[in-house]
């Protein structure tokens, strides 16, 4: 591909969870599955020295060290931080399992900005449970997910959208009081900020129409349509990554992007499997 | 390739499955325009003679294929409207459908499934070796369906409904039915893997697992037979008037029944006794 496209992963290492490891596993999985020209990965990290602990830091084509003030969400600056003309910003706790490159061509051709409004259970059903999305329902926000955000640099809609996302993130109380007064979430997270920005700008339909991609399997426990309520999905179903990089969750083979959510799920053994696949390819 | 329909019927002391199969077979033969064969055991065949229905069976069925009588049986509580009793039933032979069917392309239907339209004829040319229904639709609405009508267990796979299955004699279909046999033989182990309750053997579960595995551990929502429209055993087939079935549908929230009629639509009637009560009228409908 001759287009300047790449994936962007933004992490903050000041956490009890090992986000460096998650970003590394995601980058490995992208390198293992995507076609040439569709697998560049840029990592934005607050402390570059954390990469000394990983075996193949070269899976990140570019590493940008960026320290933002405490409490600021770097992801709201994704449009400013990306080195690419066309970018998909991903949450770190995800894995790619198959080649989805053809969809990137679609986005590049058709979209300035695309934010998905669907996610899937590990059984392949569209998530319909609003357990974690009460603020969206009560305040009639578009059901946006920031875990896979595509945009084209230097477009007006992108500038307007992310500027407002930053304002919302900087002044959550002010925006909540006005726009989320039917139900205030404890934290105005990136998803809420995205949804609110899209709603205020009136661009929901422009940036988030129905598409068969991305299909992201969202492993939050209470959206799996189970009888048993649980926050931790992997207390209920197994996570089996074999030596070929094929992933089964419970009884289901996974083919879509998996957002495993459980921040301690990817241990050294799984990383070593993904490394082996890359080194032998 | 010849096409046909097969129906399994093995009588229990409480339910005349053979008579239900005659009814179901007659309607399928009329509305799909295809031969129907009965698969039954020697004891049920003997009962057909005793009850004076043997000639009728021979008129309806293209072939009557006999199998050994199953010595083991399941039990379940079957309702007939508000009344209920524990009924033994035999359902372990379904995996033999592939070997027993005399047809190259076969539609396997339950004896309590009444084919009142030609809709299933649209599926003969689908390029799939095995087709099965992925959904059950309650004639009332979704609210009466339980979780275990949709999934085999809390975290387990989607339920397919073996009420209607279409298959072509092929290596893939042979593997499918052999695998069902293996699941049946190792049902306890599969209940661990798929987390379902082992209280009784269910063909729907075995077929669901086989379909899930052969499709690559996913749920195929594309190549499936139409949903199985169902009236539960709490509902009553009240009458048969010309081409209409009149049901009394149970509203569990009020404990009342309300009337509903249906025509030209295939229907799974779980209240078996109410089919038997109206067998004569249903046969008239098939011959009309």
């Amino acid at each position: 591909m001759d287009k300047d496209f790449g994936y962007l992963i933004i992490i903050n290492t000041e956490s009890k969870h090992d986000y460096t490891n998650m970003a590394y596993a995601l980058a490995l999985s992208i390198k293992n599955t995507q076609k040439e020209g569709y697998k560049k990965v840029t990592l934005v990290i607050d402390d570059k020295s954390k990469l000394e602990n990983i075996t193949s830091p070269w899976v990140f084509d570019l590493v940008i060290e960026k320290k933002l003030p405490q409490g600021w969400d770097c992801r709201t600056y994704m449009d400013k931080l990306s080195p690419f003309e066309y970018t998909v910003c991903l949450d770190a706790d995800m894995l790619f399992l198959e080649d989805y490159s053809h969809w990137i061509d679609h986005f590049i051709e058709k979209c300035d900005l695309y934010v998905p409004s669907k996610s899937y259970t590990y059984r392949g059903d569209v998530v319909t449970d609003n357990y974690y999305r009460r603020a969206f329902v009560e305040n009639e926000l578009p059901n946006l997910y920031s875990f896979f955000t595509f945009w084209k640099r230097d477009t007006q809609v992108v500038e307007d959208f992310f500027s407002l996302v930053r304002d919302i993130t900087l002044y959550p109380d002010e925006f909540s009081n006005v726009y989320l007064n039917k139900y205030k979430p404890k934290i105005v997270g990136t998803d809420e900020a995205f949804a609110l920005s899209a709603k205020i700008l009136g661009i929901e339909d422009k940036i988030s129409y129905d598409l068969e991609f991305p299909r992201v399997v969202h492993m939050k426990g209470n959206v799996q349509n189970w009888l048993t309520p649980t926050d931790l999905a992997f207390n209920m179903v197994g996570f089996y990554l074999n030596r070929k990089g094929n992933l089964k969750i419970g009884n289901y083979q996974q083919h879509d992007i998996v957002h495993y959510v459980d921040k301690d799920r990817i241990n050294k053994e799984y990383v070593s499997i993904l490394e082996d696949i890359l080194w032998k390819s | 390739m010849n096409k046909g329909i097969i129906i399994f019927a093995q009588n229990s002391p409480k339910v005349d499955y053979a008579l239900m199969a005659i009814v179901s077979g007659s309607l399928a033969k009329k509305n799909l325009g295809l031969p129907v064969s009965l698969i039954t055991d020697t004891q049920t065949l003997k009962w057909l003679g005793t009850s004076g229905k043997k000639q009728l069976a021979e008129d309806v069925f293209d072939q009557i294929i006999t199998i050994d009588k199953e010595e083991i049986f399941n039990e379940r509580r079957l309702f007939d409207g508000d009344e209920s009793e524990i009924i033994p039933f035999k359902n372990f032979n379904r995996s033999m459908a592939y070997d027993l069917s005399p047809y190259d392309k076969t539609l396997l239907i339950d004896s309590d499934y009444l084919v009142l339209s030609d809709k299933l004829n649209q599926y003969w040319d689908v390029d799939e070796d095995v087709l099965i229904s992925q959904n059950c639709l309650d004639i009332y609405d979704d609210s009466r369906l339980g979780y275990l009508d949709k999934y085999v267990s809390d975290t387990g796979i989607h339920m397919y409904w073996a009420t209607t299955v279409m298959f072509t004699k092929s290596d893939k279909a042979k593997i499918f039915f052999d695998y069902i046999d293996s699941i049946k033989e190792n049902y306890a182990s599969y209940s661990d893997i798929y987390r379902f309750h082992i209280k009784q053997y269910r063909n729907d579960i075995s077929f669901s697992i086989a379909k899930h595995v052969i499709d690559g551990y996913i749920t195929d929502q594309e190549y499936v037979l139409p949903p199985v429209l169902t009236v539960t055993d709490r509902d009553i087939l009240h009458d048969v008037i010309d081409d209409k079935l009149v049901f009394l549908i149970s509203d569990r929230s009020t404990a009342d029944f309300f009337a509903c009629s249906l025509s030209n639509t295939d229907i799974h009637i779980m209240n078996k006794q109410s089919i038997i009560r109206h067998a004569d009228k249903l046969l008239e409908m098939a011959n009309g």
Side-chain angles (χ1 to χ4, degrees):
Chain A
M1 184 176 68
D2 56 353
K3 303 285 187 191
D4 179 26
F5 166 78
Y7 291 100
L8 182 70
I9 308 168
I10 301 172
I11 59 169
N12 188 336
T13 60
E14 289 175 2
S15 163
K16 63 177 180 176
H17 302 294
D18 190 350
Y19 275 92
T20 311
N21 190 53
M22 287 182 255
Y24 181 45
L26 173 55
L28 286 165
S29 75
I30 289 170
K31 296 289 188 204
N32 286 342
T33 54
Q34 305 310 293
K35 277 198 304 210
E36 205 55 55
Y38 298 83
K39 54 183 177 184
K40 274 186 259 176
V41 180
T42 287
L43 177 71
V44 177
I45 187 169
D46 57 328
D47 180 0
K48 221 170 175 175
S49 70
K50 293 288 196 299
L51 296 176
E52 288 164 11
N53 300 325
I54 64 175
T55 314
S56 302
W58 47 266
V59 294
F60 300 114
D61 298 275
L62 177 66
V63 177
I64 300 168
E65 190 172 50
K66 185 82 182 173
K67 286 191 198 310
L68 284 176
Q70 186 74 30
W72 286 35
D73 187 341
C74 292
R75 286 192 304 157
T76 60
Y77 288 83
M78 60 176 75
D79 59 320
K80 303 291 183 197
L81 293 166
S82 174
F84 306 113
E85 185 180 358
Y86 302 95
T87 307
V88 167
C89 184
L90 300 166
D91 281 4
D93 50 346
M94 297 167 85
L95 287 176
F96 276 38
L97 299 170
E98 288 189 359
D99 182 13
Y100 316 112
S101 309
H102 57 289
W103 276 104
I104 299 304
D105 291 334
H106 172 89
F107 287 129
I108 288 173
E109 192 182 326
K110 304 277 186 191
C111 310
D112 288 338
L113 174 63
Y114 187 81
V115 185
S117 55
K118 275 190 295 191
S119 64
Y120 294 81
T121 71
Y122 73 108
R123 297 193 274 211
D125 299 327
V126 173
V127 167
T128 54
D129 199 307
N130 292 315
Y131 182 86
Y132 301 104
R133 298 230 144 196
R134 195 169 157 196
F136 289 75
V137 175
E138 301 281 336
N139 297 296
E140 296 176 11
L141 298 181
N143 190 40
L144 301 188
Y145 293 94
S146 62
F147 47 47
F148 182 108
T149 304
F150 170 88
W151 73 91
K152 181 184 178 187
R153 192 167 57 202
D154 298 334
T155 49
Q156 193 59 51
V157 67
V158 169
E159 175 62 31
D160 294 345
F161 177 76
F162 283 109
S163 295
L164 188 48
V165 165
R166 278 187 281 279
D167 286 343
I168 294 164
T169 311
L170 286 173
Y171 306 105
D173 291 340
E174 287 77 358
F175 278 91
S176 291
N177 287 338
V178 177
Y179 294 103
L180 306 179
N181 48 21
K182 288 182 183 158
Y183 180 82
K184 280 190 190 179
K186 284 180 190 161
I187 299 166
V188 178
T190 311
D191 287 352
E192 285 85 354
F194 271 35
L196 199 44
S197 176
K199 185 176 177 180
I200 293 168
L201 294 171
I203 57 170
E204 305 100 301
D205 297 340
K206 190 176 176 187
I207 68 167
S208 191
Y209 43 88
D210 197 24
L211 270 184
E212 282 304 302
F213 187 82
R215 287 179 61 99
V216 176
V217 174
H218 203 327
M219 286 310 295
K220 278 190 171 174
N222 283 313
V223 299
Q224 302 305 320
N225 195 17
W226 288 331
L227 292 172
T228 311
T230 178
D231 249 348
L232 301 170
F234 295 110
N235 283 351
M236 298 283 286
V237 287
F239 180 98
Y240 315 102
L241 185 71
N242 73 11
R243 290 264 151 214
K244 291 179 180 171
N246 299 321
L247 176 64
K248 264 174 113 178
I249 297 179
N251 301 121
Y252 279 84
Q253 190 72 51
Q254 301 300 314
H255 297 279
D256 302 318
I257 299 168
V258 170
H259 186 19
Y260 49 85
V261 177
D262 172 3
K263 312 293 186 235
D264 300 316
R265 175 63 23 196
I266 298 300
N267 57 27
K268 285 190 166 39
E269 185 187 347
Y270 294 136
V271 167
S272 131
I273 289 170
L274 296 170
E275 285 175 336
D276 274 358
I277 295 167
L278 181 61
W279 295 340
K280 288 171 184 168
S281 65
Chain B
M1 274 195 169
N2 68 343
K3 296 183 286 196
I5 299 152
I6 58 170
I7 303 172
F8 280 78
Q10 294 175 268
N11 276 7
S12 75
K14 301 279 179 71
V15 180
D16 190 349
Y17 284 95
L19 180 55
M20 285 167 50
I22 291 172
V23 169
S24 172
S26 302
L27 289 165
K29 188 175 170 180
K30 177 192 177 187
N31 290 307
L32 296 177
L34 290 167
V36 184
S37 288
L38 174 69
I39 298 171
T40 190
D41 58 46
T42 44
Q43 193 173 345
T44 304
L45 196 57
K46 197 173 161 192
W47 167 252
L48 277 171
T50 310
S51 63
K53 296 282 193 295
K54 190 165 183 198
Q55 187 57 52
L56 179 58
E58 286 173 356
D59 291 343
V60 170
F61 295 118
D62 172 35
Q63 295 184 36
I64 297 177
I65 298 157
T66 49
I67 53 176
D68 291 338
K69 181 181 164 231
E70 285 180 43
E71 295 303 331
I72 46 171
F73 55 84
N74 268 321
E75 279 188 333
R76 70 179 157 194
R77 179 169 291 280
L78 265 188
F79 281 83
D80 179 7
D82 284 339
E83 295 169 6
S84 72
E85 61 182 327
I86 303 290
I87 303 274
F89 67 102
K90 300 165 187 170
N91 65 340
F92 292 94
N93 287 327
R94 206 63 64 90
S95 58
M96 296 164 71
Y98 181 91
D99 291 323
L100 293 172
S101 173
Y103 309 112
D104 299 322
K105 278 183 171 271
T106 303
L107 172 65
L108 163 66
I109 59 174
D110 277 0
S111 58
D112 56 0
Y113 188 74
L114 304 190
V115 176
L116 303 179
S117 78
D118 62 354
K119 191 174 176 183
L120 285 167
N121 273 343
Q122 297 170 21
Y123 292 82
W124 293 107
D125 295 329
V126 175
D127 188 17
E128 274 289 304
D129 296 280
V130 179
L131 291 169
I132 181 167
S133 298
Q134 204 229 315
N135 288 314
C136 167
L137 284 183
D138 188 333
I139 198 166
Y140 182 77
D141 67 17
D142 230 19
S143 65
R144 297 196 308 179
L145 289 176
Y147 189 88
L148 297 180
D149 293 319
K150 296 174 185 170
Y151 300 98
V152 304
S153 62
D154 194 358
T155 58
I157 60 176
H158 289 94
M159 181 77 94
Y160 290 87
W161 286 77
T163 312
T164 55
V165 182
M166 195 176 268
F167 61 92
T168 305
K169 290 278 177 85
S170 65
D171 290 345
K172 191 172 172 187
K174 171 75 174 151
I175 290 167
F176 180 81
F177 281 95
D178 285 350
Y179 188 37
I180 289 168
D181 213 29
S182 169
I183 294 164
K184 186 177 71 182
E185 296 302 321
N186 301 285
Y187 204 56
S189 302
Y190 278 93
S191 78
D192 282 342
I193 298 167
Y194 289 89
R195 312 274 182 92
F196 59 85
H197 203 296
I198 198 172
K199 191 169 69 179
Q200 61 174 226
Y201 176 73
R202 281 193 67 184
N203 280 305
D204 294 326
I205 290 180
S206 291
F207 276 69
S208 298
I209 294 170
K211 173 93 175 118
H212 177 79
V213 171
I214 285 173
D215 285 340
Y217 299 94
I218 58 164
T219 299
D220 177 11
Q221 293 174 329
E222 199 167 351
Y223 295 105
V224 289
L225 288 179
V228 177
L229 183 67
T230 298
V231 284
T232 72
D233 54 0
R234 303 267 189 160
D235 307 324
I236 296 165
L237 174 58
H238 174 67
D239 204 353
V240 180
I241 304 169
D242 300 327
D243 63 342
K244 280 196 185 72
L245 305 188
V246 179
F247 294 99
L248 294 175
I249 304 295
S250 162
D251 183 341
R252 284 184 201 168
S253 58
T254 61
D256 284 340
F257 288 87
F258 64 89
C260 148
S261 75
L262 176 126
S263 61
N264 196 33
T265 305
D266 304 342
I267 185 86
H268 182 211
I269 301 175
M270 296 178 87
N271 183 336
K272 295 166 198 341
Q273 299 300 356
S274 73
I275 297 178
I276 290 164
R277 278 197 294 274
H278 293 281
D280 289 342
K281 284 188 175 179
L282 288 164
L283 286 168
E284 270 177 42
M285 184 199 243
N287 294 322

